[in-house]
Amino acid sequence: MVRFALVAPFFLPAGEWSAAPGSPLPVGPMAGRPAVGDVDGDGRLDLVVACGTCCGSRPDPQSGRIVVALGDGAGRFRWASSLVVGPSVRKVALGDLDDDGDLDLVAAEHDRHELVLLMNDGRGGFTRRDAPAPSVLPEPQPGDADPPAGHTHEVAIADVDGDGRLDLLATSVSTHAVAILLQDEAGAFRHAPGSPLRVRTPYDALALADVDGDGDLDFAVPSLAGHAIELFLGDGSGRFAVAPGSPLRVGERPGYVTFADLDGDGDPDLAASHDDVAQLDLLCNDGRGRFAPIAGSPLRAEVAGFWWGIAAADLDGDGRVDLALGNGGAAAVTLLRGDGAGGFALDGAPRPVGKGPSYVVAADLDGDGGVELLTGDYGDGTVSVLRRVPRSPPLAPPPTAPAR
């Protein structure tokens, strides 16, 4: 039986994590989730982050921008450009949309239905694509009522129809839908058959993985008001259908979800965090796309703020998946050490970062094979970078004096 356990306030010995040089990096007010990729083609990971208002917050005069910062290969970043998009730009995703070998950008504005495409010049410079903007709304038909105001919370890039061209997925909270936008040979995006898909209040994440082992991408999205995770299975042509057993019931108001192999059996499992509480639901995949709660789920802990963004990675180098959780509303990240069989324990006290780190991302910024953690700190407009400091080896015993 897969076991899951966390006994708060029990802590495993804390790993030694510290702020990387230059951290936190000021990027602008209302920093969102960082995106990491090599945007200038130098073989080093760079940073892209949107800074815009969300959910009724008053925009700052300097908000509404996407900041591009170039990495030096050692975990440090320097500003390269600041792209004006719109006051509510909140999410960005990276992908080679035009198949020229460079990473392009798609951005979602919280208050708009239209997505923004920014094309890379190969050196990390971006310009808005001169073409009709893809929209999460379907093509209007005669007699259609005026759509509600925009409320776009997430955007993702993936080839969901297997034609070698990257497509777009986006959530629309106000229209209770997930849009699947397929790219054609001319680079235009059109809704896939059946898109947009009906989902009650799809929220702040779109997790993609092949959950049923058929070779086609599937996706999960949290349904905030539905208190569930909605799961859709892809057929490889861009069409998606509700998975058997969906919606997957979890705790109240799930806001964020990710896939990871939590129990070491090779199948992507699910982890979901919740709005305004430090609670984590973990669901085990049976290998055919059917999910059930791991024993002991949900996990709850007494920490400041609430858990929101989730990064799943081997944080301590033992070959097992661990979890890093952004403590939104606070100034810290919670680390959970995995045992490889679905069990987790708190890895020390939450690690301090900038204020309001709703999102956390894991990436190997310095090429040493381990991962660093990046947080988008909404409260103070920074990106924090945490790196694991190797423990000092034990001191060698003093040499033995030679016998006389």
Side-chain angles (χ1 to χ4, degrees):
M1 176 183 295
V2 176
R3 298 186 60 82
F4 175 83
L6 174 69
V7 183
F10 170 71
F11 297 97
L12 287 175
E16 299 176 16
W17 290 81
S18 65
S23 176
L25 174 71
V27 292
M30 305 174 178
R33 185 181 62 212
V36 177
D38 179 10
V39 301
D40 60 354
D42 67 354
R44 302 163 179 168
L45 290 179
D46 309 307
L47 167 68
V48 181
V49 61
C51 302
T53 186
C54 175
C55 308
S57 298
R58 180 176 296 178
D60 185 279
Q62 297 301 314
S63 64
R65 300 172 181 269
I66 295 174
V67 171
V68 179
L70 302 181
D72 67 356
R76 293 179 292 266
F77 297 93
R78 61 174 178 83
W79 265 55
S81 60
S82 177
L83 315 169
V84 178
V85 175
S88 67
V89 63
R90 288 288 299 135
K91 290 290 183 64
V92 293
L94 288 166
D96 184 4
L97 297 175
D98 54 5
D99 200 28
D100 65 353
D102 306 316
L103 290 177
D104 307 304
L105 274 172
V106 58
E109 294 185 69
H110 181 273
D111 298 340
R112 292 179 60 85
H113 298 294
E114 294 79 22
L115 304 175
V116 177
L117 302 183
L118 297 157
M119 312 311 290
N120 190 345
D121 64 6
R123 301 182 301 276
F126 293 88
T127 56
R128 191 181 296 236
R129 194 181 77 164
D130 186 18
S135 175
V136 299
L137 298 176
E139 292 292 330
Q141 302 297 319
D144 284 353
D146 290 337
H151 192 163
T152 304
H153 255 270
E154 176 65 307
V155 63
I157 300 177
D159 179 9
V160 298
D161 59 0
D163 64 356
R165 294 183 290 269
L166 292 178
D167 311 305
L168 307 178
L169 301 88
T171 64
S172 174
V173 179
S174 58
T175 62
H176 303 282
V178 174
I180 312 297
L181 300 162
L182 303 182
Q183 184 176 187
D184 63 21
E185 293 181 355
F189 291 88
R190 296 181 175 85
H191 280 264
S195 174
L197 303 168
R198 177 74 180 178
V199 176
R200 184 180 179 185
T201 55
Y203 219 56
D204 214 31
L206 276 166
L208 289 141
D210 177 12
V211 302
D212 55 2
D214 64 356
D216 303 318
L217 281 177
D218 314 303
F219 76 86
V221 61
S223 174
L224 188 78
H227 313 312
I229 305 300
E230 300 270 9
L231 181 65
F232 291 84
L233 302 182
D235 67 359
S237 71
R239 294 177 174 85
F240 290 84
V242 177
S246 180
L248 310 172
R249 298 298 174 187
V250 292
E252 291 188 359
R253 295 175 61 81
Y256 201 91
V257 66
T258 194
F259 284 115
D261 182 8
L262 303 176
D263 55 11
D265 65 356
D267 304 314
D269 307 306
L270 272 169
S273 60
H274 296 263
D275 196 27
D276 299 331
V277 295
Q279 175 175 316
L280 194 68
D281 281 83
L282 298 185
L283 305 176
C284 177
N285 185 358
D286 68 358
R288 301 185 300 274
R290 296 180 182 271
F291 291 82
I294 291 176
S297 176
L299 178 159
R300 299 181 181 91
E302 295 296 329
V303 298
F306 55 94
W307 288 338
W308 193 252
I310 309 167
D314 179 6
L315 300 179
D316 55 9
D318 66 355
R320 302 161 180 169
V321 171
D322 309 302
L323 299 174
L325 307 169
N327 289 40
V333 170
T334 297
L335 304 185
L336 303 179
R337 188 183 299 180
D339 66 5
F344 291 84
L346 286 167
D347 185 7
R351 308 313 200 273
V353 290
K355 183 180 179 181
S358 295
Y359 303 105
V360 57
V361 174
D364 182 4
L365 301 177
D366 54 13
D368 66 353
V371 297
E372 284 72 48
L373 295 173
L374 302 92
T375 62
D377 308 325
Y378 186 84
D380 58 12
T382 61
V383 170
S384 296
V385 179
L386 292 176
R387 64 178 182 178
R388 190 177 184 88
V389 180
R391 296 181 185 275
S392 300
L395 293 175
T400 303
R404 294 184 180 273

